[in-house]
Every structure is written in C-alpha cells, then in structure tokens.
Amino acid sequence: MKLQLALDLVDIQGAIEVVKEVQNHIDIVEIGTPVVINEGLHAVKAVKEAFPHLTVLADLKIMDAAGYEVGQASAAGADIITILAAAEDESIKGAVAEAKKLGKQVLADMIAIKDLKGRAAQLDEFGVDYICVHTGYDLQAVGKNSFEDLATIKSVVKNSKTAVAGGIKLETLPEVIKQNPDLIIVGGGITSHDDKQAVAAKMQELIKQG
C-alpha cells in the first residue's frame, strides 16, 4: 500500500511548501485538478523538479484527446496521469497506449460510474495501471465514502492495482487499510492539519503495519 497526498487548493509555491513538510512520509504527490486548472501543467513541472525522488500524479481527469493529454502531462514530468472511467473506451485505450510508450502510468477515476463492477472489469482488460474508487467533494459533503465501492472493484480486478480517494482521515484510515488497496489517496485529511508532518507520518506508519 502506498500513500498519495492530494493537493487541490494551493498555488505552485503553496504546493511546494506542503510537500516539503511531508515528503518523507508520502509515496506520491498529486497535483489536483483545481491546481492544474489554475496553474496549468507548470505546477506538475515545478513539483517534479523540486522533488525528483517522489512520484508525481497529474489529476487531469481526461475525457477526450487522451493520447495527446497524456503526452503533455508526461512532458511536464508526471509519472501517473488520470483519466475518467466514464470516457470513451477508445480514449482510455489511447491513454494506456501513450503512457506505455512513454514509460508512464494511467489511473482511471471511477467518479460517477454506476456499474462499478462492470466498468472495473473492462478497465482491467484495457490495461490501466490503477482503478480508483472516488467519492467527490460534493458527495462527501452529504456523508458518503468509497470504502464499500473498493471491495466491489477488488472482487473483479485481476491485473490493475486499486486505489481509493475521498474524505479519508486518520480516524477512518484503519477501515480503508482493512480492504488492502494498493494506493490510498488523502487530501484534506493531511492538508487541513497544522502539523501535517505528524499526521502524514502516523498515516504511513498505520499503512506499513497494515
């Protein structure tokens, strides 16, 4: 299991400052969609240059022109690029093909997918590297989480790794660890704390014990 830090509500300098605090306790740093919208792929480039030892994920949530966008994110230094599971099959296959050519990885985000089991099985066949169950901000606000969805996709996935995102905090982390995903994605569960380093360290410790 790996720990990914999601950075959503920061600028480039803010992102670098946060990563400086927690870099010894995370495996992957995610440049979230809001950061990419506000700052562009410059944010990915700046973070990768500042922390070359960390894996950097660009949360582009690609829906179309997938091969091109994977190529652009890769050129900016992204190691993993996200595509929406709701995208056309050809877009997902195109993203996977381009990523493989460039030595990068693709994470398919299952946000808003109704048939989790059926789509996860298809994505697994398409060769995506990660399939991520994701409770978005708007659903988190009404008390939803993705922990049961994780068990659903794990029941059908044979080759892809699994990931979970959405509202994970120190208190709920043990519940997530029990499901044994390959990747646990945490945003505000770390960034909202004053002592981010202490929280990230505790999370990594729990994950390693899990």
Side-chain angles (χ1 to χ4, degrees), residues 12 31 40-51 56 73 75-78:
I12 291 174
I31 307 304
L41 288 171
H42 303 297
V44 174
K45 191 169 192 291
V47 170
K48 187 63 181 180
E49 284 177 354
F51 307 98
V56 174

Side-chain angles (χ1 to χ4, degrees), residues 63-118:
M63 196 66 182
D64 193 18
Y68 172 76
E69 293 191 9
V70 165
Q72 293 298 104
S74 170
D79 303 293
I80 307 171
I81 301 100
T82 69
I83 189 165
L84 292 176
E88 299 286 358
D89 292 357
E90 290 309 311
S91 295
I92 293 170
K93 290 173 185 173
V96 169
E98 187 66 17
K100 282 192 173 14
K101 193 166 83 182
L102 298 169
K104 308 294 183 174
Q105 293 186 307
V106 170
L107 179 147
D109 187 329
M110 299 285 276
I111 194 166
I113 294 291
K114 302 300 182 208
D115 178 14
L116 290 171
K117 196 176 273 194

Side-chain angles (χ1 to χ4, degrees), residues 5-182:
L5 172 70
L7 296 172
D8 287 321
L9 304 175
V10 288
D11 57 15
I12 291 174
Q13 197 49 47
I16 288 171
E17 292 305 318
V18 172
V19 178
K20 264 186 198 163
E21 279 190 65
V22 302
Q23 61 177 314
N24 295 329
H25 310 293
I26 61 170
D27 304 293
I28 300 171
V29 57
E30 169 190 331
I31 307 304
T33 315
V35 183
V36 175
I37 288 170
N38 292 335
E39 302 277 2
L41 288 171
H42 303 297
V44 174
K45 191 169 192 291
V47 170
K48 187 63 181 180
E49 284 177 354
F51 307 98
H53 61 290
L54 286 176
T55 299
V56 174
L57 177 142
D59 189 18
L60 300 192
K61 293 190 175 76
I62 294 170
M63 196 66 182
D64 193 18
Y68 172 76
E69 293 191 9
V70 165
Q72 293 298 104
S74 170
D79 303 293
I80 307 171
I81 301 100
T82 69
I83 189 165
L84 292 176
E88 299 286 358
D89 292 357
E90 290 309 311
S91 295
I92 293 170
K93 290 173 185 173
V96 169
E98 187 66 17
K100 282 192 173 14
K101 193 166 83 182
L102 298 169
K104 308 294 183 174
Q105 293 186 307
V106 170
L107 179 147
D109 187 329
M110 299 285 276
I111 194 166
I113 294 291
K114 302 300 182 208
D115 178 14
L116 290 171
K117 196 176 273 194
R119 193 54 170 159
Q122 290 173 331
L123 293 167
D124 193 42
E125 281 184 25
F126 296 160
V128 301
D129 299 281
Y130 289 94
I131 300 172
C132 179
V133 289
H134 181 188
T135 302
Y137 281 118
D138 299 330
L139 281 184
Q140 287 176 46
V142 293
K144 304 277 188 187
N145 68 47
S146 300
F147 307 160
E148 282 181 24
D149 295 344
L150 179 59
T152 300
I153 67 162
K154 279 183 76 76
S155 72
V156 295
V157 168
K158 295 182 175 69
N159 302 304
S160 304
K161 293 178 177 175
T162 57
V164 59
I168 299 167
K169 302 177 177 64
L170 197 50
E171 310 86 79
T172 56
L173 184 60
E175 190 183 343
V176 179
I177 289 170
K178 275 184 206 161
Q179 306 254 13
N180 198 34
D182 297 288

